[in-house]
Amino acid sequence: MWSPLIRPIKNRYLAYFARRVIHATCPESYFINYMKKQQNPFKEATYALTFDFDFEKDIDAFPLLLDMLQKHEIKAGFAVIGKFVEKYPDIHKRAVDEGHEIINHTYTHPDNPHWAPKRYFNKLTYVEQKAEIEKAHEVFHKILGIECIGFRTPHYGNLHTESVYPILAELGYKYSSSSAASAYNGYGAPYTHSHGIIEIPTGCSIHFPLAIFDSWNMLRKNKPFLGDDELFVNEFAETMQVIAEHNLFLTHYFDPYDIIENNKLDKICHILNTSNTQTTLYRDLFHQHSS
Ligand SMILES: [Zn+2]
């Protein structure tokens, strides 16, 4: 009854107001009712952990992040950019060797301050967007020896464009993970979008069902939803309880430099391993279908 409420509201201010009201009054029931409408392709409670490597400080966090995932025996998806793979091949090779999944996050990550300032992905032409994705694909193939099948738009929904789907189809890709669950079909689960491409929307959390659960919204921005690392970890734990209880699918992305601070990643991995939920990679979605 709740779920169709927000998405059709095209007026930004009305949508903002509706979100505030729901977050302030009935977030848990909204979250549960919304998520229960999804068709979980894995049938059982499943979580996909992903990270976006956008800045040098994310690369600095890479070794510790890999150590932590190794300690907890969790495989994750890494949205990485071609320029960084060229600059730091060894740490990316380690990620591949340890069984993690590489997600194409473009060659330069427009508007990355190092290489592509004042260049915005949604302002690029079709040909330029395709070149950004294709060039990263070639770098991953040459340096890491992999054939990437998934993509994430730099800056997600804000700069995400529909032109991505035909490009991905042309390149033989299988999925994109570039939208917010609350603003997309599928109720937080993978869903066929267009041109045969599956969109895997990034998920939310139990008390903020109409926001993306990431460190930007929860901790970093001006007036963050939580603003405290302990609350952040607790929010994750409570959310995972619901996922386990109702056999749901959920995926989040985190910023590497941020999530390793104050042992947040260590705690999140521990919660994942004790929550009656299996973890998965996006690519497993396609393996299990073909098997
Ligand atoms: Zn990014």
Side-chain angles (χ1 to χ4, degrees):
M1 83 190 191
W2 284 107
S3 48
L5 195 64
I6 299 295
R7 221 162 6 107
I9 303 179
K10 294 295 176 213
N11 183 302
R12 272 178 62 201
Y13 298 101
L14 269 178
Y16 174 79
F17 181 72
R19 182 171 88 168
R20 283 198 65 160
V21 169
I22 287 171
H23 283 180
T25 55
C26 55
E28 296 99 333
S29 61
Y30 185 97
F31 179 76
I32 293 168
N33 285 313
Y34 184 84
M35 295 290 285
K36 274 170 73 177
K37 288 195 169 70
Q38 69 172 222
Q39 288 198 337
N40 175 359
F42 294 94
K43 310 289 185 228
E44 53 189 300
T46 303
Y47 182 86
L49 176 63
T50 72
F51 304 92
D52 287 9
F53 291 77
D54 293 347
F55 305 110
E56 294 277 350
K57 58 188 174 181
D58 293 320
I59 301 293
D60 294 342
F62 215 152
L64 188 62
L65 190 142
L66 287 173
D67 291 347
M68 201 56 72
L69 294 175
Q70 198 168 41
K71 173 182 157 189
H72 293 278
E73 298 183 349
I74 290 175
K75 307 287 183 229
F78 299 142
V80 301
I81 62 182
K83 279 277 195 184
F84 273 146
V85 172
E86 286 176 339
K87 194 170 175 189
Y88 306 103
D90 291 347
I91 192 69
H92 290 87
K93 277 184 203 156
R94 182 184 158 193
V96 171
D97 288 345
E98 292 179 3
H100 302 293
E101 177 171 10
I102 298 293
I103 302 165
N104 188 325
H105 203 31
T106 72
Y107 182 63
T108 65
H109 198 292
D111 60 331
N112 181 300
H114 306 296
W115 305 294
K118 298 203 181 100
R119 207 162 171 256
Y120 299 96
F121 189 76
N122 60 339
K123 297 275 177 4
L124 303 183
T125 65
Y126 187 92
V127 170
E128 287 168 331
Q129 287 183 343
K130 189 177 172 195
E132 276 282 346
I133 299 170
E134 207 166 14
K135 186 135 192 229
H137 185 87
E138 282 161 14
V139 167
F140 299 164
H141 179 74
K142 203 169 114 209
I143 296 177
L144 305 177
I146 58 159
E147 291 293 343
C148 199
I149 60 163
F151 172 75
R152 177 169 285 158
T153 300
H155 300 298
Y156 280 89
N158 287 342
L159 302 189
H160 185 56
T161 63
E162 285 298 310
S163 55
V164 156
Y165 298 99
I167 293 172
L168 295 179
E170 270 188 64
L171 297 175
Y173 272 47
K174 305 263 190 238
Y175 72 84
S176 150
S177 175
S178 308
S179 57
S182 62
Y184 188 70
N185 303 321
Y187 303 101
Y191 192 86
T192 305
H193 184 80
S194 73
H195 300 78
I197 302 296
I198 306 282
E199 175 64 31
I200 309 170
T202 301
C204 48
S205 67
I206 184 160
H207 294 110
F208 308 98
L210 294 164
I212 289 185
F213 182 73
D214 63 1
S215 44
W216 170 254
N217 274 305
M218 296 298 139
L219 299 170
R220 295 271 172 197
K221 69 177 184 183
N222 191 21
K223 295 192 190 158
F225 287 114
L226 291 168
D228 177 273
D229 283 343
E230 207 178 310
L231 293 177
F232 183 84
V233 171
N234 290 345
E235 177 76 5
F236 184 79
E238 279 189 57
T239 302
M240 289 314 298
Q241 270 175 19
V242 174
I243 297 306
E245 191 180 326
H246 297 280
N247 286 324
L248 298 168
F249 174 87
L250 182 69
T251 182
H252 291 137
Y253 89 93
F254 299 113
D255 294 320
Y257 78 93
D258 213 334
I259 202 70
I260 62 163
E261 238 178 51
N262 276 335
N263 293 324
K264 287 198 288 295
L265 181 58
D266 197 16
K267 290 172 187 163
I268 278 173
C269 288
H270 179 73
I271 291 163
L272 283 174
N273 282 339
T274 51
S275 71
N276 263 332
T277 305
Q278 64 171 354
T279 54
T280 193
L281 297 172
Y282 291 161
R283 68 183 180 212
D284 292 339
L285 203 56
F286 305 95
H287 292 163
Q288 68 157 26
H289 280 183
S290 60
S291 63

